[in-house]
Amino acid sequence: MSERLSNAEKSLPIMLLRARETVMQRFRPMLKAHGLSEQQWRVLRVLNEQGPSAPTTLASRAVILMPSLTRILANLAGRGLIERARHAEDGRRQVASLTSLGRDLIAEITPQSAAIYATLEAEFGADEVHDLMQALRRLAAL
């Protein structure tokens, strides 16, 4: 039997946004409890995973526009979660890195984040989450 979908339900951008919103509704209370926005958390995660990074790299990997990233880095630095320094080989460039306070915050939040992921996998299916992630990686690489 053919499924009758509205035009919005056939729209990949709309369905991606709906799926994102469904997922983020689960993470927002945790982030709010730690005084973080979604974008700030993405920056902290990228720095934790990639190590010290130039702003252009951070913007790309955290999927944040540069003007927003500039404000986010200033906020995170003001809170002592990151530090910014001149690039060792090119003094015109900056590099951002986590401070010990930033690493401590990541360590505190990570188990909570993992529990949310586990709940999503239990409700949606671990194989489905894995397949969806693979499909999204392929789509993002186009």
Side-chain angles (χ1 to χ4, degrees):
M1 179 160 101
S2 177
E3 191 176 355
R4 296 188 59 85
L5 300 174
S6 70
N7 285 337
E9 292 170 320
K10 294 176 187 174
S11 168
L12 181 60
I14 289 175
M15 292 310 297
L16 287 170
L17 288 168
R18 284 183 184 169
R20 179 192 185 281
E21 187 59 27
T22 297
V23 171
M24 289 312 301
Q25 284 178 356
R26 295 166 183 253
F27 286 91
R28 283 188 192 112
M30 174 198 67
L31 295 174
K32 185 177 180 183
H34 293 282
L36 293 172
S37 69
E38 297 168 35
Q39 296 85 0
Q40 290 169 334
W41 177 238
R42 290 199 310 259
V43 169
L44 293 173
R45 283 193 59 178
V46 168
L47 288 173
N48 188 56
E49 293 168 7
Q50 304 293 317
S53 300
T56 52
T57 302
L58 273 175
S60 174
R61 292 192 175 150
V63 192
I64 297 173
L65 297 174
M66 278 303 294
S68 296
L69 180 66
T70 300
R71 288 186 297 277
I72 290 166
L73 291 176
N75 178 283
L76 294 173
R79 293 172 58 187
L81 299 173
I82 68 160
E83 57 188 5
R84 294 183 285 182
R86 293 281 170 212
H87 190 279
E89 297 168 9
D90 183 351
R92 297 170 295 170
R93 294 176 41 208
Q94 276 194 353
V95 175
S97 59
L98 286 174
T99 62
S100 60
L101 187 62
R103 285 188 294 278
D104 290 347
L105 182 60
I106 294 274
E108 183 180 341
I109 294 176
T110 296
Q112 298 167 28
S113 180
I116 294 168
Y117 276 107
T119 300
L120 278 168
E121 285 185 351
E123 292 175 8
F124 189 65
D127 290 341
E128 286 81 358
V129 170
H130 174 77
D131 292 347
L132 178 60
M133 292 295 292
Q134 285 189 312
L136 290 172
R137 278 188 212 96
R138 287 192 313 272
L139 179 61
L142 293 179

